[in-house]
Amino acid sequence: MDSFFVSGWAGDPAQYPGLPASFNYLVPFSGFNPQNLAGMIDSGGDLLVGWSTGAHMLLRFCPHLFSRFGKVVLAAPFLAFTDSFPERLLRGMIKGMDAGPAGVVAAFRANCADPTSSDYDPEQTDKLIEGLEFLISSKIEFDEQVRMDNLILVYGTADRIVRRKAFDRVCKAVQPADIVLLNCGHKIPEKDLLNVMGCVSCLGSVKLLI
């Protein structure tokens, strides 16, 4: 059985170096088109994990596949990125990508509390701009509360990218999900993420890990 990890905007396997050996590591925009995600994971598996934009894409395009996995972990998920990040700021990032894309990516990672450094590939600029346009327009609206029994929602209480109210909207939309709150920023540290994935069987309805 396979396991999948879907990264966020401007994602890089170096951000979670321990995962590629055990997961199919998928990077949106530069690595795949969001509309193709369901076809990439429809085989099912043990674990399905999405972080940030990756979590949003899974929730938007793939909820019908969640039952094919043992557990689904969504870290820093959101129904609409503009619930947290105003469109004007995203438009500013798009303009910045034209002039200095490496600086835009570095500043975004700093706000994510992500210490990972990476050599920026200028060939990815157009794809990353497409990703920002996606984040402006993409919104999830469920007609009714969705039941997902194998779902774990993870949030860093110091997150400067996805606001708590945006995370709470996800929690209200999908039930009965397990909720894990961590004392960290937007980028969930790898050791904490691995801990959540390794302890899924012992989670209660709500967990606070600090």
Side-chain angles (χ1 to χ4, degrees):
M1 299 287 277
D2 288 329
S3 293
F4 297 86
F5 178 86
V6 188
S7 186
W9 181 81
D12 185 333
Q15 292 176 293
Y16 288 105
L19 298 187
S22 303
F23 286 77
N24 292 290
Y25 199 104
L26 308 178
V27 179
F29 311 118
S30 61
F32 67 90
N33 184 301
Q35 283 75 19
N36 296 333
L37 180 57
M40 299 170 71
I41 68 167
D42 63 359
S43 60
D46 297 319
L47 280 167
L48 176 62
V49 183
W51 168 52
S52 190
T53 298
H56 172 80
M57 289 180 175
L58 289 175
L59 203 53
R60 177 178 171 183
F61 297 113
C62 308
H64 61 293
L65 300 176
F66 286 6
S67 62
R68 300 185 185 184
F69 291 86
K71 281 291 179 178
V72 178
V73 178
L74 301 182
F78 51 86
L79 299 182
F81 195 61
T82 51
D83 286 343
S84 303
F85 222 75
E87 181 177 342
R88 61 180 176 80
L89 295 181
L90 289 166
R91 294 293 180 193
M93 289 177 67
I94 290 172
K95 290 182 179 179
M97 291 293 290
D98 289 331
V104 172
V105 173
F108 182 77
R109 287 196 177 184
N111 283 327
C112 290
D114 181 5
T116 307
S117 60
S118 177
D119 293 331
Y120 180 76
D121 180 1
E123 293 186 1
Q124 301 300 331
T125 299
D126 289 344
K127 293 294 185 181
L128 292 181
I129 290 174
E130 288 178 15
L132 293 172
E133 295 284 3
F134 172 88
L135 288 172
I136 289 172
S137 62
S138 183
K139 294 175 174 53
I140 300 171
E141 295 183 5
F142 295 116
D143 293 333
E144 57 185 17
Q145 192 177 72
V146 180
R147 186 175 183 86
M148 298 180 183
D149 296 307
N150 63 341
L151 181 61
I152 301 171
L153 303 176
V154 184
Y155 183 73
T157 56
D159 194 329
R160 296 175 58 184
I161 301 296
V162 175
R163 296 183 182 276
R164 179 61 186 265
K165 66 177 183 179
F167 176 73
D168 288 343
R169 283 192 65 203
V170 178
C171 295
K172 292 177 182 178
V174 294
Q175 293 288 341
D178 287 318
I179 300 171
V180 178
L181 302 178
L182 298 166
N183 185 18
C184 64
H186 183 66
K187 187 205 171 196
I188 310 298
E190 185 173 60
K191 63 180 179 62
D192 292 328
L193 192 57
L194 289 170
N195 180 54
V196 170
M197 292 188 288
C199 297
V200 291
S201 63
C202 60
L203 285 173
S205 58
V206 177
K207 289 289 181 180
L208 177 60
L209 306 179
I210 298 178

